[in-house]
């Protein structure tokens, strides 16, 4: 029995991560990536300490309900000021390790939720 969810054509699915890269719907990204169901783009953030509201702007402008933050190899807590600034723009910010964020994004995207993910690359 195939339990793979049906993904609409053109939707961005995180297929692989690790070794400093991501594969999203067949396209390889070296380094970090921003992903929504409609688009995936390279993201110049290389570590959690570089995270700013400005670096999240492409996702904040997308009208999301949930913004998943893949913090790297482990969960880190963003500064209160960052969490409040993101929430003021609409989405709920959900930090987690990058692997968990990629998997959660895929599930929520398959459910056709308004979700995006900011994923910091891991080795």
């Amino acid at each position: 029995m195939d339990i793979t969810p049906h993904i609409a054509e053109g939707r961005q699915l995180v297929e692989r991560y690790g070794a400093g890269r991501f594969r999203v719907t067949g396209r390889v990204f070296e380094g970090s990536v921003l992903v929504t169901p409609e688009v995936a783009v390279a993201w110049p953030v290389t570590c959690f300490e570089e995270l700013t509201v400005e670096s999240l702007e492409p996702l904040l402008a997308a009208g999301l309900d949930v913004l998943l933050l893949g913090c790297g190899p482990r969960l880190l807590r963003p500064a209160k000021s960052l969490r409040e600034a993101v929430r003021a723009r609409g989405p709920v910010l959900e930090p987690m390790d990058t692997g968990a964020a990629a998997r959660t994004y895929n599930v929520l995207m398959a459910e056709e939720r308004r979700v995006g993910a900011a994923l910091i690359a891991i080795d």
Side-chain angles (χ1 to χ4, degrees), residues 13-114:
L13 180 71
V14 180
E15 298 169 330
R16 291 188 181 186
Y17 61 90
R21 67 180 62 94
F22 293 89
R23 188 171 80 190
V24 180
T25 313
R27 189 169 158 209
V28 175
F29 292 87
E30 297 292 333
S32 301
V33 66
L34 298 176
V35 185
T36 68
E38 295 80 24
V39 67
V41 296
W43 189 37
V45 171
T46 61
C47 65
F48 183 80
E49 292 74 24
E50 295 176 1
L51 185 64
T52 64
V53 173
E54 293 77 21
S55 70
L56 296 171
E57 183 58 36
L59 295 179
L60 295 175
L64 305 173
D65 292 330
V66 178
L67 194 166
L68 302 170
L69 174 60
C71 300
R74 67 181 201 276
L75 167 65
L76 298 169
R77 187 169 172 90
K80 183 177 180 182
S81 59
L82 177 68
R83 293 190 318 268
E84 290 174 350
V86 169
R87 187 65 187 135
R89 296 285 300 275
V92 172
L93 181 64
E94 293 289 346
M96 53 192 73
D97 68 79
T98 292
R103 293 185 301 273
T104 303
Y105 164 81
N106 284 344
V107 169
L108 295 177
M109 184 273 303
E111 293 175 352
E112 298 189 18
R113 302 274 304 274
R114 291 177 21 183

Side-chain angles (χ1 to χ4, degrees), residues 1-6:
M1 175 184 292
D2 182 6
I3 61 169
T4 306
H6 173 71

